[in-house]
Amino acid sequence: MKLFEALSTRFSIRQIFGGFIAILSILLLTNFLAFNSFNVSNNQLAQYHHANSLYYNLLSLSPQELTEQYPNEHYRQLIIEAEKHLELLSNGGYGEFLGKEIEIAPPQGAGKLPLERIQERWPTYRDECLMLLSSRADNINGNFTIPVQSGLPIMFERISGYAQELLTVSDYILVEKKDQLPTAILVISLIAILVFILMLVFLMKVILNPLKNMENTAGELAKGHLQDQITIAGNNEIANIGSQINKLAQMLENALSFTKNMGQGNLDTDYLEADDSNSLAVALMDMRTQMKSAAEADRQRNWASDGLAKFAEILRLESDDLSKLGYNAVSNLVRYVGAQQGSIFIATQQDDETILEQIATFAYDKQKFLQKSIKPGDGIVGQAYLEEKRIYLLDIPEGYLEISAGLGHMPPKCLLVVPLIYNEEIQGIVEIASLEPISDYKVEFVESVGESIAANISTVKNNERTRNLLVKSQEITEKMRVQEDEMRQNMEEMQNTYREMITAQKDTEQKEANLNALINNTEDSIVTVDRNYRVMIINDVLKRRYKGTQYEGIDIGQNVLDTLGAVREEWKGYYDRALAGERLDFVIRSTVNNEDSFRRYHINPVRSSDGDVIGCSVFSRDVTDMKVAEIQNKKLISDLTQKDKLFEAAFFFMEVGPEKRIITINDLAAMELGYQREDLIGRDINDLFISRDTLTEGLSTMHKGDIWKEEVALLTKDGSRLMAKSVSTAVVDNETERIVKYILVFYKN
């Protein structure tokens, strides 16, 4: 054993194994040479084969065989084959063996004498056989016997004996070779086994035992158990591997200490094995960098989520006053992003021109009332309005603005101008100035909050516009009512006057003249017909209106129905209803004389002093302006109704716990969904979505820390669909990294 230790110390494992392999190679070569030396060659096997064939050919040519009833050609073929085998054995040459041609040498030693005796006697025996075959040609079908005086049997006994002797010699050579081969192989194999055993002992002592030790240590390392260092004597590969395992254990111990510090939140800890060539060190340092980035990203997402929730509540409180809305928005936005100054502009129309009017400013917690207006394209604010893109400047033009502090004024280092866009329409601009650069995530937050601010500005402006339109509509409606009352009063007065004139017509021509003057000086068209539809009275206003039309020439005494053409039956119906005592009042479109106007008709029965209907009167007046105003008023009221519905559904939100139960919901959202607010508290949020898959995808998006922006279909209490846009996020606990709640904010398209 000490020899093995000395070898392992003096030589490397590779050198020792090389020596053993060289010894085994020598033994294998020796075994191979012995096998070839004592093994039977193909030449000897071929000699034995042809000797055996010769022997059996001679047996087939025995005197007894020659008396058999075989054709002579059969025996001649046997003679040819016997000569062939004899020739090959005697002189050597190429012969067939095992399906291929090999070179055969003549027999030497003991086999040579029998072969020479066969050669000596074969010609005589062959000739005797051929003569016998010639004589049996005529008796092939009968009994044939060899003559008694023939010497063929004696010759066969001698030649067959020599052939058997030749076969016996060949067989002896083969057996002798085979007997010597196992002894040589056995000796060499024993030596090889001894060498192999020595190799196994060496393997166990110098390699396997240390490897087992290293295996146990490596197994413990794989399980995470750090062991004492391995001690292996020698200066070979096994000792080197043990040294490397010791280094690996030390490196893992350093890595364990590093990861423990990381797990305790110490993300600035250093790794002792830091080296660009160390993949583990590089991976651990990358992990530290990614954890720092992830922690910062979580902080930024939570900051943005809290901010969105905060501004949703702030903006909800102000829905009527633009100035208060603007100040609350810009002041809280400046404070939240850590800036120092801000202002907000809204887009208004003045004399058919868009103007950006500053409605609120904020600087160092003191509101500045710096009223000013900016045209689109003027300055940085105007440029942001035209381009509809944010502008972020670190190089601010000199004198653009200054930030006031307790000790004086100083220019800002950073300027952020963000357009407030809602439904692809710019509602205004928010401008923020800071003494320090504003981070990218804060810029994105300002843009996100800007959408909510724009939505609220749009709602307030639309509410104000709606109130103004309603007031104007009420004024128009009141004016139309007064005009209609005046017209009705005039009509009643004219009808009363007309009745008095009919009654007094027979009494005085003066009264008739007065009546004609009255009906001809009014702006109304007047005609009366009797019960036979003949014209009784027609004023000049109507005659002038009918001039140049199919009604021109109509006069007192004529049947008014004869001139009506396509509208005869319609107007006959009006006359019949009035003659039956009905009072008609309606407005129709008139195309007389190619005019396109609206006229109000009053058709009333004319009664005698006895109360009998003796005719009917037709008063008409051009009410186009009034009708157009009425149509516009109806359209305006319809538009206002639609806009009022849109504005009422502009913005609503709800808070949902991690278990998907509603924590709180605003009144507007509850109303839109058809519920009372208290009916929805504690309810599963899935019940309010038509597609639960949509909600699941949205919660997954918020769970990743992203803002869920998507158009969704909500389910109302009556089962109808409510389409709304989501701008929602999740609030995460910084310590547990778990979602505390979801802030779902929606506004209708």
Side-chain angles (χ1 to χ4, degrees), residues 377-632:
D378 291 349
I380 298 175
V381 173
Q383 193 64 30
Y385 179 86
L386 285 182
E387 295 179 356
E388 299 185 7
K389 295 180 180 179
R390 76 182 185 202
I391 296 177
Y392 182 77
L393 297 178
L394 294 176
D395 186 11
I396 303 173
E398 185 177 356
Y400 180 78
L401 63 89
E402 291 183 339
I403 295 177
S404 299
L407 299 177
H409 301 275
M410 63 186 72
K413 301 295 184 182
C414 170
L415 181 67
L416 175 63
V417 181
V418 176
L420 305 177
I421 301 176
Y422 174 68
N423 282 345
E424 299 182 356
E425 180 180 354
I426 297 183
Q427 300 295 331
I429 299 289
V430 62
E431 179 185 49
I432 297 176
S434 174
L435 294 174
E436 298 293 336
I438 301 176
S439 303
D440 292 341
Y441 73 94
K442 292 185 178 181
V443 174
E444 294 176 358
F445 172 76
V446 173
E447 289 184 316
S448 298
V449 173
E451 295 180 9
S452 301
I453 297 174
N456 278 266
I457 291 175
S458 176
T459 301
V460 174
K461 290 167 65 176
N462 288 329
N463 288 342
E464 184 176 350
R465 189 181 300 115
T466 300
R467 288 193 295 270
N468 294 335
L469 291 174
L470 286 174
V471 171
K472 186 175 181 180
S473 174
Q474 291 171 354
E475 292 176 352
I476 294 175
T477 302
E478 180 63 22
K479 184 177 181 180
M480 291 177 61
R481 187 188 64 77
V482 171
Q483 291 178 349
E484 188 173 355
D485 289 342
E486 291 177 353
M487 181 178 179
R488 185 179 294 108
Q489 183 178 358
N490 290 337
M491 290 297 181
E492 291 176 354
E493 291 177 355
M494 292 176 65
Q495 289 174 1
N496 293 333
T497 302
Y498 178 72
R499 283 195 294 269
E500 292 175 359
M501 290 176 65
I502 292 295
T503 304
Q505 183 177 7
K506 295 180 180 180
D507 298 335
T508 176
E509 290 294 328
Q510 183 64 37
K511 290 183 178 180
E512 183 178 355
N514 291 337
L515 176 61
N516 290 333
L518 176 64
I519 64 176
N520 289 326
N521 288 322
T522 182
E523 294 181 357
D524 298 337
S525 298
I526 301 174
V527 64
T528 61
V529 296
D530 60 15
R531 298 190 66 87
N532 295 320
Y533 312 107
R534 289 191 298 269
V535 177
M536 297 171 60
I537 297 175
I538 182 170
N539 70 344
D540 294 339
V541 175
L542 185 57
K543 290 180 180 180
R544 288 194 299 270
R545 182 165 171 263
Y546 284 164
K547 187 175 182 179
T549 69
Q550 67 184 54
Y551 311 112
E552 185 177 7
I554 191 170
D555 208 344
I556 296 174
Q558 292 183 344
N559 191 319
V560 71
L561 298 179
D562 295 338
T563 63
L564 295 180
V567 297
R568 172 188 173 93
E569 294 303 321
E570 178 185 357
W571 278 94
K572 183 176 182 301
Y574 295 150
Y575 293 146
D576 289 344
R577 290 167 61 186
L579 293 174
E582 185 178 351
R583 301 170 67 89
L584 305 180
D585 182 359
F586 56 89
V587 176
I588 60 175
R589 185 184 293 272
S590 175
T591 58
V592 174
N593 205 11
N594 295 324
E595 67 181 2
D596 185 12
S597 62
F598 290 91
R599 299 191 69 83
R600 179 180 291 277
Y601 285 86
H602 294 274
I603 304 177
N604 298 304
V606 177
R607 300 179 183 274
S608 64
S609 57
D610 297 329
D612 298 328
V613 177
I614 60 174
C616 64
S617 62
V618 181
F619 290 77
S620 68
R621 171 180 292 183
D622 187 350
V623 293
T624 301
D625 294 338
M626 186 182 301
K627 188 64 178 179
V628 170
E630 180 183 355
I631 292 173
Q632 291 177 347

Side-chain angles (χ1 to χ4, degrees), residues 271-285:
Y271 182 52
L272 298 178
E273 302 288 338
D275 187 355
D276 292 341
S277 62
N278 189 330
S279 300
L280 177 61
V282 172
L284 289 174
M285 298 306 290

Side-chain angles (χ1 to χ4, degrees), residues 219-254:
E220 293 299 319
L221 287 177
K223 296 177 183 178
H225 302 155
L226 299 180
Q227 301 292 314
D228 295 335
Q229 293 192 348
I230 304 172
T231 302
I232 299 176
N235 188 24
N236 51 43
E237 291 88 340
I238 301 298
N240 293 337
I241 294 174
S243 176
Q244 295 301 320
I245 291 178
N246 290 335
K247 290 182 179 179
L248 174 61
Q250 183 61 44
M251 183 175 64
L252 291 178
E253 185 175 358
N254 293 336

